[in-house]
Amino acid sequence: MSKPVVIEVTRGPLVESRHEGVAAVVKPDGTVVGSWGDIDARILPRSANKPIQAMAFVESGAVEKFGLGDEHISLACASHLGEKRHVDTVRAWLKRVGLSEADLECGVHPPRLQSSIEALVRDNAQPTPAFNNCSGKHTGFLTTAVTYGEPTKGYIKYDHPVQRRLRTVMSDLCGSNADAFAYGTDGCGIPTLATPVRLLARAMASMAEPSRLSNKHAAAAGRIRKAMNAEPFMMAGTGSFGTRINEALPGVVQVKGGAEGVFCGMLPTLGLGIALKMWDGAGRAAEVAMATLLGHLGVLPGERREEMLHPPVKNVVGLLVGEMRASKSWLG
Amino acid sequence: MSKPVVIEVTRGPLVESRHEGVAAVVKPDGTVVGSWGDIDARILPRSANKPIQAMAFVESGAVEKFGLGDEHISLACASHLGEKRHVDTVRAWLKRVGLSEADLECGVHPPRLQSSIEALVRDNAQPTPAFNNCSGKHTGFLTTAVTYGEPTKGYIKYDHPVQRRLRTVMSDLCGSNADAFAYGTDGCGIPTLATPVRLLARAMASMAEPSRLSNKHAAAAGRIRKAMNAEPFMMAGTGSFGTRINEALPGVVQVKGGAEGVFCGMLPTLGLGIALKMWDGAGRAAEVAMATLLGHLGVLPGERREEMLHPPVKNVVGLLVGEMRASKSWLG
């Protein structure tokens, strides 16, 4: 087994904390071109595979049927911060397909951006399901069910056609039967499939360079990549690492992070897919690991490059007291 | 080297994430009675050694001079959540020693409890230095300087008498010269000393069972332990793991956590000290590791015991989807 991904957090002269992970860079045919740690280990992709989960929505013809655009497709792939434009767009989209927030089964959590929380408090308002970071993905699921004339209730369940369709797409993209994967329940209630890192990277590669796929899959993958680059704000929001990456190199890089330290990426010009997971679930380390891998592959945006490779650690008064970085044992 | 501390996070049938750490249980004479991972590795104790840092404050006679009590001593050991009682007490204390928030050099961050942030927004107010989780400790530092007639300005600097005194106490408690320790800058601006886990645990043991120490040190240690149990709310606040532990078994257990996955504990009835660090810096895992160690040593409070050993992982709608736990390879 090759050396694992290692991200260090320094403070003064010490490495204060240390994150270990696994990463794979794979071609659409499954050829592994980069491997760190045990890439046959199974991980739960969580939100990092939302672009894959958006495939069936795009393939349903719902985009054309309801006159949707990049902003909606990007939202269907998003873990958004609950900013006004995210919430307003989800609400208007639901209305357009004849539904409302009451149909969302993702639950309610406070928006992730502190300023969004504060805006709610100022308005003396409560968050609603549209504020859930997954509300765009769920609206995509609902829209797919409406398009196919399926019941919308229970669309989050393992055996609902909406979820079955996700597994069919996943099987086609990763080259393995996803119906055989074990699964847990994601934060938003849908199944999250235990996927070997190698296969998750291959699925991303298939989306990045879809010539091996059916025309239908290939067209949907291209449409989704385009939307991720065209509407990076909808993918996450203000200050987000993923939004910054996706807006910087359109056509070259599309990334998506997930809970518990997962990050995936598509590199269409190189014909590669990336999947990585920090074993401890640390999002801070997953971001530095993704930036490091993009740099290693020559596709890290130039703007704020140093800050992405070596995020500063500051104390409360703003003094630089350390940094994060890839360890010398990995790609540092 | 013995097996490391391992805390697992499950989701459905999978171990989704995994935290590794180091822990030592030590007697005041330095005898190691429990060891997991490399206990000679150096860690930055961060806020977990605030009880040690409060020693010089109590020994200065400031408590008597200014008519202070358990609530102030507990605050001097605290990483508080910025709730009204914390902030009000710090402000009144500063006034009592002739100072104000302008003298605090810890900087300003939003309070840690979401409801405290929301209260500020509702009042259209901004956080001030008293909201900093370290404001009690810093007020203790200022009070010590005032008591000794030293300049208060620059009390956070390595060579200020206030900080030098902390190193003298640390040296006495851990049995090694703390002036020789490397150091980084803590979040609140003071030096945080790179301390072998074994010695940090020994320092905690010396506070737990101080008969080997000078009378002055022994009296201060007892006073601090009493205050931590008498005013557990001041140590942290609503819903905090540390507050729950410290209020449950007065005279038996006193714990304090720190940033980046550090947790320390004093067990006076057993005459033991505990120090642990999760290498990835995860606070969620440090809490489960401390609960597991307390259970292993027979001093985990009965109330909400299961929840502390196996914190539930719930999804957004409140469904139980996994749990945290010590791995079978450790003490699970």
Side-chain angles (χ1 to χ4, degrees):
Chain A
M1 196 170 77
S2 54
K3 283 176 186 169
V5 173
V6 178
I7 303 297
E8 298 171 340
V9 186
T10 72
R11 182 172 296 264
L14 268 276
V15 173
E16 179 171 25
S17 296
R18 189 177 175 280
H19 302 275
E20 196 170 305
V22 56
V25 182
V26 176
K27 289 185 183 176
D29 67 1
T31 307
V32 175
V33 302
S35 166
W36 298 273
D38 177 10
I39 65 170
D40 290 314
R42 296 179 303 167
I43 64 170
L44 297 174
R46 308 295 300 275
S47 290
N49 68 353
K50 279 177 175 166
I52 297 172
Q53 295 174 333
M55 290 281 285
F57 156 61
V58 172
E59 292 177 6
S60 72
V63 174
E64 296 73 18
K65 181 181 168 84
F66 293 106
L68 303 171
D70 286 335
E71 60 183 344
H72 305 94
I73 298 172
S74 184
L75 262 178
C77 304
S79 299
H80 68 71
L81 300 182
E83 297 178 82
K84 188 172 186 316
R85 190 171 163 228
H86 303 123
V87 174
D88 288 350
T89 306
V90 165
R91 286 175 176 162
W93 177 5
L94 283 166
K95 200 171 167 187
R96 202 184 290 195
V97 300
L99 299 173
S100 77
E101 288 188 73
D103 295 293
L104 291 171
E105 297 181 7
C106 50
V108 182
H109 64 72
R112 288 184 169 177
L113 200 69
Q114 193 57 36
S115 60
S116 299
I117 296 179
E118 293 175 9
L120 279 172
V121 173
R122 253 180 238 109
D123 296 346
N124 203 20
Q126 296 296 322
T128 61
F131 284 87
N132 186 309
N133 78 90
C134 300
S135 67
K137 179 176 78 172
H138 280 245
T139 301
F141 290 157
L142 284 166
T143 302
T144 311
V146 168
T147 301
Y148 286 119
E150 294 158 358
T152 54
K153 198 169 163 56
Y155 69 90
I156 62 173
K157 292 195 186 304
Y158 186 82
D159 285 323
H160 190 282
V162 162
Q163 298 303 324
R164 275 194 266 143
R165 228 176 266 122
L166 300 192
R167 295 197 293 281
T168 301
V169 171
M170 186 62 183
S171 302
D172 293 345
L173 297 186
C174 79
S176 182
N177 178 17
D179 282 327
F181 292 179
Y183 61 96
T185 302
D186 212 328
C188 66
I190 71 164
T192 179
L193 308 173
T195 311
V197 180
R198 174 204 297 270
L199 295 187
L200 184 58
R202 183 178 179 186
M204 289 290 151
S206 296
M207 288 197 67
E209 202 290 271
S211 60
R212 292 177 61 262
L213 303 181
S214 67
N215 289 345
K216 193 175 176 184
H217 280 339
R223 188 76 188 81
I224 287 166
R225 284 192 281 103
K226 172 178 169 291
M228 289 173 74
N229 285 151
E231 288 284 1
F233 175 83
M234 285 307 201
M235 292 288 301
T238 303
S240 150
F241 172 81
T243 287
R244 276 190 347 232
I245 294 284
N246 288 338
E247 74 191 356
L249 294 175
V252 179
V253 182
Q254 299 87 32
V255 298
K256 180 68 185 76
E260 293 292 329
V262 184
F263 233 108
C264 285
M266 300 168 238
L267 308 177
T269 56
L270 301 177
L272 296 174
I274 299 174
L276 72 87
K277 153 107 182 163
M278 306 310 298
W279 288 122
D280 53 55
R284 66 178 183 181
E287 290 182 0
V288 179
M290 178 53 86
T292 302
L293 271 177
L294 294 178
H296 177 66
L297 296 166
V299 290
L300 182 66
E303 201 189 345
R304 297 167 80 179
R305 179 187 173 93
E306 183 55 25
E307 185 191 325
M308 288 191 277
L309 291 172
H310 303 111
V313 175
K314 295 183 178 179
N315 74 355
V316 173
V317 300
L319 191 72
L320 184 73
V321 296
E323 67 168 18
M324 295 188 63
R325 65 189 185 199
S327 78
K328 289 210 189 305
S329 71
W330 186 48
L331 297 173
Chain B
M1 199 169 76
S2 53
K3 283 177 187 168
V5 173
V6 178
I7 303 297
E8 299 171 339
V9 186
T10 72
R11 182 172 297 262
L14 268 277
V15 173
E16 180 171 23
S17 297
R18 189 177 175 280
H19 302 275
E20 196 170 306
V22 54
V25 181
V26 176
K27 289 185 182 176
D29 67 2
T31 308
V32 175
V33 302
S35 166
W36 298 273
D38 177 11
I39 66 170
D40 291 314
R42 296 179 304 167
I43 64 172
L44 297 174
R46 308 294 301 274
S47 290
N49 68 354
K50 280 177 176 168
I52 297 172
Q53 295 174 330
M55 289 281 285
F57 156 62
V58 171
E59 292 178 5
S60 72
V63 174
E64 297 73 18
K65 180 180 168 83
F66 293 105
L68 303 170
D70 286 336
E71 60 183 344
H72 305 95
I73 298 172
S74 183
L75 261 179
C77 304
S79 299
H80 67 71
L81 300 182
E83 297 178 83
K84 188 172 186 315
R85 190 171 164 228
H86 303 123
V87 174
D88 288 351
T89 307
V90 165
R91 286 174 175 164
W93 177 5
L94 283 165
K95 200 170 169 188
R96 202 185 289 195
V97 300
L99 299 173
S100 76
E101 287 188 74
D103 296 292
L104 291 172
E105 298 180 7
C106 50
V108 181
H109 65 70
R112 289 183 169 177
L113 200 69
Q114 193 56 36
S115 60
S116 299
I117 296 179
E118 293 174 9
L120 279 172
V121 174
R122 253 180 238 108
D123 295 347
N124 202 20
Q126 296 296 322
T128 61
F131 284 86
N132 185 308
N133 78 90
C134 301
S135 67
K137 179 177 77 172
H138 280 246
T139 302
F141 289 157
L142 284 167
T143 302
T144 311
V146 168
T147 302
Y148 286 120
E150 294 159 359
T152 55
K153 198 169 164 56
Y155 69 88
I156 63 174
K157 293 195 184 306
Y158 186 82
D159 285 323
H160 190 283
V162 162
Q163 298 302 326
R164 275 194 264 143
R165 228 176 267 122
L166 300 192
R167 295 197 294 280
T168 302
V169 171
M170 186 62 183
S171 302
D172 293 345
L173 296 187
C174 78
S176 182
N177 178 15
D179 283 326
F181 292 0
Y183 62 96
T185 303
D186 212 328
C188 67
I190 71 163
T192 178
L193 308 173
T195 311
V197 180
R198 175 205 295 270
L199 294 187
L200 184 57
R202 183 178 179 186
M204 288 290 151
S206 295
M207 287 196 69
E209 201 291 271
S211 60
R212 292 176 62 261
L213 303 181
S214 67
N215 289 345
K216 194 174 174 183
H217 281 338
R223 188 77 188 79
I224 288 166
R225 284 192 280 104
K226 172 179 169 290
M228 290 173 74
N229 285 152
E231 289 283 3
F233 175 83
M234 285 307 203
M235 293 286 302
T238 304
S240 149
F241 173 82
T243 287
R244 276 190 348 232
I245 294 284
N246 288 338
E247 74 191 355
L249 294 174
V252 178
V253 182
Q254 299 87 32
V255 298
K256 179 70 186 75
E260 294 292 328
V262 184
F263 233 108
C264 286
M266 302 167 236
L267 307 177
T269 55
L270 301 178
L272 296 173
I274 300 175
L276 71 87
K277 153 109 182 161
M278 305 311 297
W279 288 122
D280 53 54
R284 66 178 183 180
E287 291 182 0
V288 179
M290 178 53 87
T292 302
L293 271 177
L294 294 178
H296 177 68
L297 296 165
V299 290
L300 181 66
E303 201 189 345
R304 299 167 77 178
R305 177 188 174 92
E306 182 55 25
E307 185 191 324
M308 288 191 278
L309 291 172
H310 302 110
V313 175
K314 295 183 178 179
N315 74 355
V316 173
V317 299
L319 190 73
L320 184 73
V321 296
E323 67 168 18
M324 296 188 63
R325 65 189 184 200
S327 77
K328 289 210 190 307
S329 71
W330 185 48
L331 296 173

